[in-house]
Amino acid sequence: MQNYIGPQNVLEKRKQYFYPCTSHFYRNPPQLVKGEMQYLYGHDGQRYCDFFAGVSVVASGHCNPEIAERTAEQLKMLQHTCTIYLTQPNVDLAERLAGVLPRGVNRTFFVNSGSEANEGALTLARLHTGRRGFLALEQGLHGRTYLTMSVTGIQMWRTDPQLEHERDVTFIPRPYERGVDTEIAARRSLEALKTVLEEKGEEIAAMIVEPIQGNAGIIVPPEGYFAEVKALLEQYGVLLIADEIQTGFGRTGAMFAMDRLGVVPDIITMAKALGSGIPVAAFATTDEIAASYNRPSASTFGGNPVSSATGLAVLDYIESHHLPTRAQQLGAQLQEGLQDIANRYPAIVSEVRGAGLMIGAELCWDDTRRGAELVDDVLEEMKDRGYIIGKNGVDRNVLAFQPPLVITEDDISGMLAALEDTLSKLYF
């Protein structure tokens, strides 16, 4: 065993050298030192089955050998230039993406992170339409840059207090409300959108949405909602940006979540799973819209040879191992199992929702403070049992299940048994 400094020493160094905004899960956090597909390992050799995947990042598994080998080969051959020089991996990746993106969305601009991808998409929308304004859904999360924080509706991630004075962003109620019929909530959202468009549609460049709101609690809109959104936006020449950073590349049972909904966005942003742990992101659009982005621009590390070679390896792995199909099938097992637990513990588990292997279980929505405390208790106990689970939600009272898509039926069955035992132990 290597000479690891241990969790407490890591915490001390973080306290001394990190910004105070940096937080962590767990009262007694492990020091993670190794990953193998769906598993993580602590410095003491403890194995954890990962049901969060770094918030949907390592969808193809931790240190997947089929992908890591190709990353290492490229790293030893050519590590970095920039898009001002010609290399092959990034054009090959752009070509491959054109084959999996919706028809007509075939132009790609590579960047490093989801925030940068959304920032670029918003800028592109302004360049193409000549308008300044944006629409976004309440409780959405789109990034950490200034413009992406401005269109972020979940308050805990709107870091800069000056964003309250942002004049170019209008928020629309999301198509969800606790305890309200989904169709009623969706209709309220659509009516609000229609009202805003009637008042100032000619000032708005684009509407940015997550097909499934991740950080806000894994909120799935009802069928047909985004089709109606797209139709309304088109009446006013407003572009639709789909933030597929959490939902892309098989997570929801389709290559992109919007594919499931039969909607083709004007611009699609992607990151996370495309690199499965290596920083790579992009925003993609049509020939017509891309033509408006004609001023000199570049991302220093965007589309570098290593990230591009990794992205190609990821797409090969997704295709050869049928990960979207696996996500659909295993997601059904996971959601059914969580719903069974909810039926047995209705005073604790208020709702189970999601698609594919992106599922949330909300605890105690009638007392969200208690629900948030219970979520932390569950995470701690499940960690000690060898399972990593995430948390999210506006009130941080949602258990988040977003595992690597290489998870197995046995992993899911074991986690569900441990979760039910945990609930029984902690609360009864």
Side-chain angles (χ1 to χ4, degrees), residues 146 149 157-164:
Y146 192 85
M149 278 195 295
W157 297 123
R158 289 171 62 85
T159 307
D160 183 352
Q162 296 299 320
L163 293 175
E164 299 300 327

Side-chain angles (χ1 to χ4, degrees), residues 58-128:
V58 287
S60 300
H62 294 278
C63 304
N64 185 317
E66 293 184 37
I67 297 169
E69 182 177 354
R70 289 172 61 177
T71 301
E73 288 175 358
Q74 183 61 56
L75 186 64
K76 291 183 286 188
M77 181 69 67
L78 177 63
Q79 182 176 356
H80 176 72
T81 56
C82 184
T83 50
I84 60 175
Y85 301 102
L86 303 187
T87 59
Q88 185 170 335
N90 53 19
V91 295
D92 286 348
L93 180 57
E95 183 179 36
R96 281 293 299 279
L97 286 171
V100 300
L101 286 161
R103 180 173 296 181
V105 181
N106 57 1
R107 296 275 182 170
T108 298
F109 191 113
F110 291 111
V111 291
N112 307 295
S113 69
S115 293
E116 192 180 355
N118 282 336
E119 184 87 11
L122 294 164
T123 300
L124 171 61
R126 280 180 168 172
L127 290 173
H128 182 69

Side-chain angles (χ1 to χ4, degrees), residues 112-115 117 244-245 249 269-276 280-282:
N112 307 295
S113 69
S115 293
E244 293 262 10
I245 287 159
F249 301 102
T269 61
M270 63 203 91
K272 290 185 183 286
L274 179 58
S276 203
V280 55

Side-chain angles (χ1 to χ4, degrees), residues 373-393:
E373 292 172 352
L374 297 185
V375 162
D376 285 340
D377 289 343
V378 169
L379 262 62
E380 197 76 26
E381 178 70 17
M382 289 295 285
K383 178 259 299 178
D384 292 342
R385 291 170 181 258
Y387 293 96
I388 300 292
I389 299 175
K391 68 174 177 178
N392 57 33

Side-chain angles (χ1 to χ4, degrees), residues 16 95 105 149 162 165 172 174 209 226 385 416:
Q16 184 173 0
E95 183 179 36
V105 181
M149 278 195 295
Q162 296 299 320
H165 304 293
I172 302 299
R174 61 180 179 170
V209 299
F226 278 121
R385 291 170 181 258
L416 289 169

Side-chain angles (χ1 to χ4, degrees), residues 33-334:
V33 299
K34 182 181 177 181
E36 290 181 346
M37 299 303 279
Q38 68 266 47
Y39 301 115
L40 289 166
Y41 294 84
H43 76 293
D44 56 359
Q46 171 69 47
R47 190 183 81 169
Y48 304 93
C49 191
D50 183 7
F51 273 79
F52 203 34
V55 196
S56 297
V57 171
V58 287
S60 300
H62 294 278
C63 304
N64 185 317
E66 293 184 37
I67 297 169
E69 182 177 354
R70 289 172 61 177
T71 301
E73 288 175 358
Q74 183 61 56
L75 186 64
K76 291 183 286 188
M77 181 69 67
L78 177 63
Q79 182 176 356
H80 176 72
T81 56
C82 184
T83 50
I84 60 175
Y85 301 102
L86 303 187
T87 59
Q88 185 170 335
N90 53 19
V91 295
D92 286 348
L93 180 57
E95 183 179 36
R96 281 293 299 279
L97 286 171
V100 300
L101 286 161
R103 180 173 296 181
V105 181
N106 57 1
R107 296 275 182 170
T108 298
F109 191 113
F110 291 111
V111 291
N112 307 295
S113 69
S115 293
E116 192 180 355
N118 282 336
E119 184 87 11
L122 294 164
T123 300
L124 171 61
R126 280 180 168 172
L127 290 173
H128 182 69
T129 64
R131 306 170 182 176
R132 286 190 56 84
F134 296 112
L135 295 171
L137 290 177
E138 292 176 353
Q139 314 303 347
L141 172 62
H142 299 291
R144 304 287 188 269
T145 61
Y146 192 85
L147 189 52
T148 58
M149 278 195 295
S150 295
V151 295
T152 288
I154 189 167
Q155 288 300 314
M156 70 176 291
W157 297 123
R158 289 171 62 85
T159 307
D160 183 352
Q162 296 299 320
L163 293 175
E164 299 300 327
H165 304 293
E166 176 63 55
R167 298 290 186 235
D168 296 323
V169 180
T170 302
F171 289 98
I172 302 299
R174 61 180 179 170
Y176 176 83
E177 186 176 342
R178 288 184 180 125
V180 174
D181 181 82
T182 55
E183 294 299 329
I184 294 175
R187 185 52 49 193
R188 289 176 182 171
S189 177
L190 290 167
E191 289 300 323
L193 173 60
K194 184 177 179 180
T195 298
V196 173
L197 289 172
E198 289 173 348
E199 291 177 353
K200 53 181 180 180
E202 294 181 356
E203 303 171 14
I204 298 169
M207 180 174 183
I208 186 168
V209 299
E210 299 164 275
I212 296 176
Q213 285 191 332
N215 201 266
I218 307 187
I219 303 300
V220 183
E223 186 175 353
Y225 171 77
F226 278 121
E228 290 195 54
V229 167
K230 184 68 163 66
L232 284 170
L233 296 179
E234 286 179 346
Q235 293 179 28
Y236 294 86
V238 177
L239 303 182
L240 177 63
I241 301 171
D243 177 345
E244 293 262 10
I245 287 159
Q246 282 199 47
T247 53
F249 301 102
R251 168 66 55 191
T252 66
M255 185 61 76
F256 295 96
M258 282 297 188
D259 294 341
R260 297 175 58 252
L261 307 175
V263 175
V264 178
D266 298 293
I267 308 171
I268 299 177
T269 61
M270 63 203 91
K272 290 185 183 286
L274 179 58
S276 203
I278 296 296
V280 55
F283 56 102
T285 192
T286 64
D287 287 342
E288 178 188 359
I289 297 173
S292 301
Y293 209 143
N294 49 34
R295 298 181 182 182
S297 185
S299 172
T300 301
F301 291 100
N304 73 73
V306 175
S307 65
S308 298
T310 302
L312 285 164
V314 165
L315 291 178
D316 286 344
Y317 190 88
I318 290 172
E319 180 180 349
S320 63
H321 292 269
H322 311 289
L323 292 193
T325 300
R326 284 182 57 83
Q328 184 176 15
Q329 295 171 345
L330 295 172
Q333 177 195 357
L334 177 56

